[in-house]
Amino acid sequence: MSESNNAQTQQADLQKQLWSIANDLRGNMDASEFRNYILGLIFYRFLSDRVQSYANSLLENDNLTFAQAYADESLKADLEKEVTQTIGFFIEPKFLFSTLIEAIKAGNFDIEQLQTAVNEVQNSTIGYESEDDFRGLFEDMDLSSSRLGNTVAKRSELMAKVMLNLADIPFSDDDMEIDVLGDAYEYLISQFAASAGKKAGEFYTPQQVSKLLSRLVTLGRDEIRSVYDPTMGSGSLLLRVGDYTKVANYYGQELNGTTYNLARMNMLMHGVSYTRFDMQQGDTLEDDRFPEKMFDAVVANPPYSANWNPDGKLDDERFRKYGKTAPKSKADFAFVEHMLYHLNNDGSMAVVLPHGVLFRGAAEGKIRQYMIENDNVLDAVIGLPANLFYGTSIPTIVLVFKKNRTNSDVFFIDASNDFEKGKNQNNLTDQQTDKIVATYKKREDVEKYAHKAALDEIKENEFNLNIPRYVDTFEEEPPVDVDKLSADMQKTDQQIGQLEAEFKGMLADLVSPDADAQQQLTKLKELFK
């Protein structure tokens, strides 16, 4: 079996096993709530394996196990320092996942041991460069919650079951390719998103949409220094960019604390060192955590038409030049302005938004006009199918922006009818995504699919970017044959008349044997008058 096929098989098997564990063990707990426990435990086991594997590699020539070396007071401090400086954290042998499994099998485990173990991960980073990256990573895994059980014993029993099931799955560095494990972790995130209804959009962008945005911003680029997502969710969109080009550093900001933790875990699970990402928690529009930083690529799937506070924002460098602020109930253009502010002069940017940003007037119309006419940064408008996203069925668009463009046209693609129907959501196939990217790259008109609109054409439309104004997808109905339709109607009338005559004849032939039958016959005649 080839390496690629082997990885695919590993990934499929691991995904199936992990989701089975999640379904079997969560009991009556809501899926989105149980997510924090199973993802947290998978992550803890991953960290344990990392520490054990790296420590063993350091001790390879000393014929010592990790536990033996750590028990030696002359080696203990140096070993802990070396591991922490290299991989960013440390776990003592007694707190390793494998050690806790031994305690479970021996009947010596309680949930307090697990709580101490996860606390020690964060404590080990204090004073090191990695401290901020590991702070609060496990705060959503509330091991004292009564949802796990009413007593310590019940909670310990449930967590022990989950841990034993996870222990049976081989995903150490020797057995499993790191990306397979990371992708399986992301698969779990997507499965929980599918179960989470409207809130799913807060932490997960469907894989094919992430692929599309990532390909659009990496076209022709073998390497980028930085990629940024101001509404990063679980980090899946950021990570996807790394599938299409070499990325030096990842940056992101997220408002939701649980999702922020998930993104940092996701990065580490995909083998991205803590030295290569900078994740911040906070409201991007109110508290920009990267005020002076510029990025080579920017991608985002921000919350659609969210509320925000525009008061005083024209004093903010991100929004000032547009002269108007996005409406209080529709922050879509505020996110776009923020992203453009942080985009390098040779950078590329792709963002998913609702259709309203294309044609809504007032302040949004002024902002849209400024971006097109003054800044000349809008490169493409791509219409996507409806019902692609968890939690909303509305059709969306992708806006592609580039700085320092030499052309002034805007390229429109209407891919709204290109999708594969799924059980709950529609899907973009790889072939459909390829078609969008190839068409964008070629930048030539395609009948009923794509059109390159000159600036004058956009001005004629008063900067309204509604896709049907530029891409005509209207399908004419076949002409009606009036003569044939008239003949068919006459033929039908004749058939009705013939059937009525036959039925009346049948009624006349009926003989009433008694009063009841006569009464029934009268009713029958009345019915068919």
Side-chain angles (χ1 to χ4, degrees), residues 372-501:
I372 297 167
E373 192 172 34
N374 294 71
D375 280 354
N376 186 31
V377 289
L378 181 60
D379 198 55
V381 177
I382 302 170
L384 297 179
N387 201 30
L388 285 181
F389 294 86
Y390 298 112
T392 180
S393 60
I394 66 169
T396 54
I397 56 158
V398 174
L399 296 185
V400 183
F401 293 87
K402 288 180 179 293
K403 295 258 184 102
N404 289 339
R405 294 198 318 152
T406 56
N407 55 306
S408 61
D409 54 71
V410 177
F411 193 60
F412 290 82
I413 297 176
D414 187 345
S416 59
N417 293 317
D418 289 0
F419 62 89
E420 180 180 74
K421 194 161 184 62
K423 183 178 179 182
N424 297 313
Q425 269 80 38
N426 293 328
N427 305 302
L428 280 173
T429 65
D430 285 336
Q431 291 76 15
Q432 288 159 348
T433 305
D434 289 344
K435 179 183 176 184
I436 294 171
V437 174
T439 304
Y440 169 72
K441 190 175 180 181
K442 201 170 184 181
R443 213 174 178 82
E444 293 178 358
D445 283 19
V446 178
E447 187 177 1
K448 298 187 183 301
Y449 186 73
H451 174 62
K452 183 165 66 175
L455 179 59
D456 287 343
E457 185 179 354
I458 294 170
K459 285 181 178 179
E460 286 174 12
N461 281 305
E462 298 179 331
F463 298 93
N464 184 320
L465 303 179
N466 202 16
I467 297 173
R469 288 178 178 247
Y470 304 93
V471 182
D472 182 8
T473 60
F474 178 73
E475 296 285 351
E476 290 188 6
E477 295 288 337
V480 177
D481 188 335
V482 178
D483 293 336
K484 184 177 184 301
L485 181 62
S486 179
D488 289 344
M489 290 173 67
Q490 289 179 8
K491 185 178 179 181
T492 301
D493 287 341
Q494 290 172 358
Q495 290 174 338
I496 291 172
Q498 183 179 348
L499 290 170
E500 285 180 343

Side-chain angles (χ1 to χ4, degrees), residues 16-29:
K16 185 177 178 180
Q17 285 178 283
L18 291 175
W19 188 240
S20 177
I21 292 170
N23 273 331
D24 289 345
L25 297 181
R26 70 183 177 89
N28 296 323
M29 193 181 296

Side-chain angles (χ1 to χ4, degrees), residues 22 88 96 99 117 128 137 197 199 248 271 300 304 310 384 404 409 413 453 481 496 499 513 519 524 526:
L96 290 172
T99 308
Y128 287 88
L137 268 179
K199 289 191 174 293
Y304 306 146
L384 297 179
N404 289 339
D409 54 71
I413 297 176
D481 188 335
I496 291 172
L499 290 170
Q519 188 178 9
L524 190 61
E526 288 293 328

Side-chain angles (χ1 to χ4, degrees), residues 337-355:
E337 291 166 345
H338 169 89
M339 293 168 69
L340 283 169
Y341 178 79
H342 285 288
L343 185 64
N344 272 333
N345 284 333
D346 59 349
S348 299
M349 166 179 147
V351 54
V352 183
L353 294 166
H355 271 259

